[in-house]
Amino acid sequence: MTLPNKLGLNDELELARAEERLSKAKACQMFANGTLDSLQAGSWDSLAAIHRYLFSEIYDFAGQVRTVNIAKGSFRFVPVMYLQAALENVEAMPQATFDQIIEKYVEMNIAHPFREGNGRSTRIWLNVMLKKQLKLVVDWSCVDKNDYLLAMERSPVKDTEIKVLLQQALTDKINDRNLYMKGIDASYFYEGYLLYKTADLGGEE
């Protein structure tokens, strides 16, 4: 089943290709035009704004809280009936230290507020927090896909593994465009999107 989309695509592979191309170009624009620096770090509104910016050309639900229950494998994300309360709780969590920021990130991942595009949006959201609070960002190109996915899978029970993994990939190159774009490519690769390079889409409007 293909998600309903604004592009009128009914083929899952076609939709995936279009989604990667369009949203990666938007991710590049978001860095270049200063949108990321204008966001309130750690807020629900900032995550919704990131998701809306990335996916508004593709999905009507861009930036909106999902209205269906979703799961990944045997793990069920926060049910719709509890989702609004969960998002308010996550927003209220402290974000003064690295540990606090990762704990907040893990809880937002458990909430999984969108119908699609949660991981890609939330990793950008995490780096906005790290940049504003600690003057650091995760260089996602240094984080192995399998290590990351396993650590995130285990994070609802124990978050030590994801903290160690991401701490090892921290850098103070917070305004480095190439690092950001390589990070977007890595983030998309975690989700199986690897057809386009962000650097090749940077000039696309």
Side-chain angles (χ1 to χ4, degrees):
M1 285 289 290
T2 305
L3 282 174
N5 60 85
K6 294 182 176 182
L7 307 175
L9 296 176
N10 297 314
D11 181 88
E12 201 168 331
L13 285 175
E14 276 188 53
L15 177 58
R17 284 194 292 267
E19 182 182 315
E20 180 183 2
R21 180 175 57 82
L22 292 169
S23 62
K24 273 188 174 178
K26 296 293 281 189
C28 201
Q29 289 172 26
M30 193 162 36
F31 180 87
N33 65 19
T35 296
L36 290 177
D37 292 326
S38 71
L39 298 174
Q40 181 186 350
S43 69
W44 157 250
D45 283 347
S46 67
L47 179 57
I50 290 167
H51 191 271
R52 190 178 305 113
Y53 201 103
L54 292 179
F55 300 109
S56 60
E57 294 179 3
I58 307 156
Y59 300 117
D60 284 324
F61 60 72
Q64 297 177 15
V65 178
R66 61 181 162 85
T67 56
V68 295
N69 291 325
I70 58 174
K72 194 168 192 175
S74 61
F75 185 82
R76 296 189 176 277
F77 298 106
V78 173
V80 167
M81 66 184 296
Y82 303 120
L83 190 49
Q84 194 57 50
L87 293 175
E88 290 171 8
N89 289 337
V90 174
E91 184 167 45
M93 290 175 71
Q95 55 188 54
T97 67
F98 174 79
D99 280 2
Q100 288 174 344
I101 289 170
I102 301 305
E103 286 158 14
K104 190 165 183 169
Y105 169 63
V106 165
E107 288 302 313
M108 187 59 85
N109 182 64
I110 293 168
H112 241 59
F114 307 113
R115 182 68 185 87
E116 168 73 8
N118 288 278
R120 288 166 284 168
S121 302
T122 311
R123 284 186 285 275
I124 294 173
W125 182 75
L126 168 61
N127 263 350
V128 170
M129 270 195 289
L130 289 169
K131 182 177 180 178
K132 292 210 172 184
Q133 301 295 135
L134 304 179
K135 301 291 188 286
L136 296 167
V137 291
V138 174
D139 179 356
W140 295 105
S141 68
C142 294
V143 181
D144 178 79
K145 174 180 178 175
N146 291 330
D147 290 346
Y148 169 79
L149 293 176
L150 284 171
M152 287 303 291
E153 191 178 310
R154 292 192 269 259
S155 66
V157 176
K158 192 171 181 64
D159 61 17
T160 307
E161 194 174 346
I162 192 64
K163 284 177 178 174
V164 170
L165 188 66
L166 297 185
Q167 191 159 36
Q168 290 171 345
L170 288 177
T171 175
D172 61 2
K173 296 179 179 178
I174 59 175
N175 296 312
D176 188 310
R177 183 172 179 269
N178 289 331
L179 183 139
Y180 171 83
M181 291 194 295
K182 284 195 301 179
I184 293 295
D185 286 337
S187 177
Y188 274 64
F189 175 61
Y190 301 155
E191 314 293 343
Y193 296 90
L194 65 166
L195 199 59
Y196 301 98
K197 291 290 185 189
T198 307
D200 298 331
L201 301 170
E204 187 167 327
E205 292 298 332

